[in-house]
Each structure stands twice: as C-alpha cells, then as structure tokens.
Amino acid sequence: VKLVESGGGSAQDGGSLILSCAASEFPFSGYCMGFIRQDVGEEREEVAVVCTEGTKKISDSVKGRFTVSLDKGANTMFLQMNSLKSEDTAMYYCAFSPGYSVLSHGIRGYNFWGQGTRVTVSS
C-alpha cells in the first residue's frame, strides 16, 4: 500500500489547515484510514479514523474543530482542521488498515503508515 500525504505546514492560532492522504496499490475493497499525531515527548494519538463502511471517529481533543472525510472513489482521506490551537502542533501520520480491525484494536490495527507531515500552530 502506498500512502501519499499532503497539506500541513504552519498556521496561526485559530487558523485552518487541511491534510489529505491518498492510498493506492492495494487489493482491498474494505478498509479504514486514520490520522495519528505525535509531538516530541508525547504519546501517539489517533485523531481521526474513517472507514469505507461509513464509520467516522474523531478524538475528543479535536471534536468540533476537526472533520474527517473519505473520497472512496479516489481512496483519499481528508482532515479539515479548524480553530487550530498550539496543542495541535505535531507530526501527523496517515495510516491504513485493510478491513476494519482498527475499530477494535486502535492504533495497533494499522498495517501501513505514511511518512508524516508536520503541523505547527503558533500564537
């Protein structure tokens, strides 16, 4: 599975950014994709997950500010990040799981990972 991330960068406190992740080169019809973030010295956090069967989940820490969506035709996941805060600063990694095991196993259920993109929010 090939994952190509785009977006990210720098934003002001209260600003917006959008991340995308395109998946290709896989034979699976059902899958889940997620964005996991991690800052230096912090635990990994699954920010959002979206699956082809319709599940969408957003972490409580970003609920109401971030929205995840999936273009199934293009196998591309989008994370719209609004009302950004300094605590959103982190590396954001795209991850892919064939099937829906991540819904019960969380981050451990992802089999494929992107290179990550940096999001920096400054006041």
Side-chain angles (χ1 to χ4, degrees):
V1 177
K2 180 179 179 182
L3 300 174
V4 178
E5 301 166 353
S6 62
S10 298
Q12 293 289 317
D13 191 41
S16 297
L17 289 172
I18 184 165
L19 304 182
S20 65
C21 179
S24 61
E25 301 179 14
F26 61 92
F28 320 107
S29 59
Y31 59 85
C32 293
M33 295 178 71
F35 274 109
I36 294 87
R37 70 183 180 185
Q38 186 173 27
D39 203 6
V40 176
E42 301 290 330
E43 297 283 328
R44 290 187 302 176
E45 177 187 15
E46 185 182 54
V47 175
V49 58
V50 61
C51 305
T52 51
E53 38 73 286
T55 297
K56 290 184 182 180
K57 290 186 178 181
I58 290 285
S59 168
D60 287 343
S61 64
V62 303
K63 195 165 290 182
R65 301 188 295 119
F66 291 12
T67 304
V68 66
S69 60
L70 177 66
D71 181 342
K72 289 191 283 187
N75 297 315
T76 300
M77 170 179 61
F78 299 92
L79 184 67
Q80 176 69 50
M81 305 185 292
N82 298 327
S83 302
L84 284 163
K85 304 176 180 180
S86 58
E87 51 260 46
D88 296 318
T89 295
M91 282 294 291
Y92 284 70
Y93 297 92
C94 172
F96 182 100
S97 170
Y100 311 112
S101 61
V102 295
L103 298 180
S104 55
H105 293 98
I107 293 176
R108 294 175 297 149
Y110 291 106
N111 303 89
F112 305 94
W113 292 77
Q115 292 299 308
T117 185
R118 182 74 181 172
V119 170
T120 302
V121 183
S122 57
S123 57

